Amino acid sequence: MTVAVAPTDTSGLRARFDAALAAFLDRQGRDWPDGAPRGVFTALHRFVLAGKRLRPLFCYWGWRGAGGADGAPIVAAAAALELFHAFALIHDDILDGSDRRRGGPSVHRLFADLHARSSWRGDPEAYGRDTALLCGDLCAAWSDQMFHECGLDVGRVHRGYAVFALMRTEVIAGEYLDLVSGVGDGSVASALTVVRMKAARYTVTRPLQIGATLAGAGPERVAALAEFGDPLGDAFQLRDDVLGIFGDPTVTGKSVLDDLREGKPTVMMALARGAADRAQAARLRELFGNPALDGDGAAELRKIIEGTGARARIEGMIRVRAEAALAALSSAPVTAEARAALTELAARAVDRPR
């Protein structure tokens, strides 16, 4: 059955993605192996259904922009990307040592705390990390399953999955690049490369291209979508990095200490180091990447970042990339309905509190 969806009805689409995900998870719950504790399933059910659904939205409008009709199969295929996103977040939080995600404990922290409260034998941190790794692996497997079972014909799924597989490889390679950049030169160029590969393309460009490919778009149309998706994805991640330091934790659901304690090699921090005077540079070396950093130290770091002009420069970079994306969208080979929806999504991706 076809359901009419207004171009900007993102809340209605999100409800449909949520329903598709809930139905898929319910089926997994019924098939959960006998004798296996259900704690993993319960934790993942809660975690997956808490997302913003940005990637499914871009996938859906990539499909509609290429002339695909609305229907349950594309909603399911797009929703499968949310399971892949859950995999990426769970593993990223392990690598970054982040204790908060989506307004609650990250998955590894949830299970580490369970171990500690239960007074089990062994190391709670190792138990939490190992369990979260398995949770992430399961989300990746479920994402493949949901995508292949979406209801589209096999030929369409096969073509779309080629882009899906490329996205998956890019994300994992980007995570490795992030690790390398953390022990490397810390330059703006290397940080921008991580932004593009680890986050930007898998947030916007690849979901758009997956949707368009599923709808039967040819190589030229699919490639053209990158002219919009790449700069918008960059702007999205740059905004995410700003929120990671200057955001409101009650809104973002994440700590504003994690990136600073980790010494996350973001573009903003590379800019700050490059523009810092001698005194500022000395304090950056002392504070940034200090795992014991407290609120006062974080406040001092924020003051230094703003004092070097790094935050203002990042805002300028976000603006330039968002404008480039919208300029590309104005002539992109998509339907008028999709262009209107993608224009709204671009604004939501860049100008957001979380």
Side-chain angles (χ1 to χ4, degrees), residues 235-292:
F236 172 88
Q237 185 56 42
L238 292 173
R239 172 62 65 211
D240 202 59
D241 290 342
V242 172
L243 291 172
I245 296 175
F246 292 96
D248 180 351
T250 64
V251 177
T252 64
K254 289 188 64 179
S255 169
V256 290
L257 293 175
D258 285 352
D259 288 357
L260 297 175
R261 286 174 173 168
E262 178 199 347
K264 187 174 182 179
T266 63
V267 176
M268 185 163 58
M269 291 310 303
L271 290 171
R273 282 194 299 271
D277 61 28
R278 182 174 298 178
Q280 290 170 327
R283 289 303 284 161
L284 283 173
R285 286 193 296 272
E286 292 173 13
L287 297 171
F288 186 60
N290 180 355

Side-chain angles (χ1 to χ4, degrees), residues 308-326:
T308 63
R311 184 178 182 182
R313 289 182 65 187
I314 284 291
E315 293 293 345
M317 293 171 71
I318 291 171
R319 184 173 60 254
V320 167
R321 283 158 175 76
E323 290 172 353
L326 291 175

Side-chain angles (χ1 to χ4, degrees), residues 9-21 48-53 57 348 354:
D9 183 17
T10 53
S11 61
L13 276 172
R14 170 172 173 155
R16 294 171 67 197
F17 296 140
D18 286 352
L21 285 165
V48 167
L49 293 182
K52 295 191 287 287
R53 312 292 180 254
L57 284 165
R348 289 182 57 205
R354 64 187 183 99

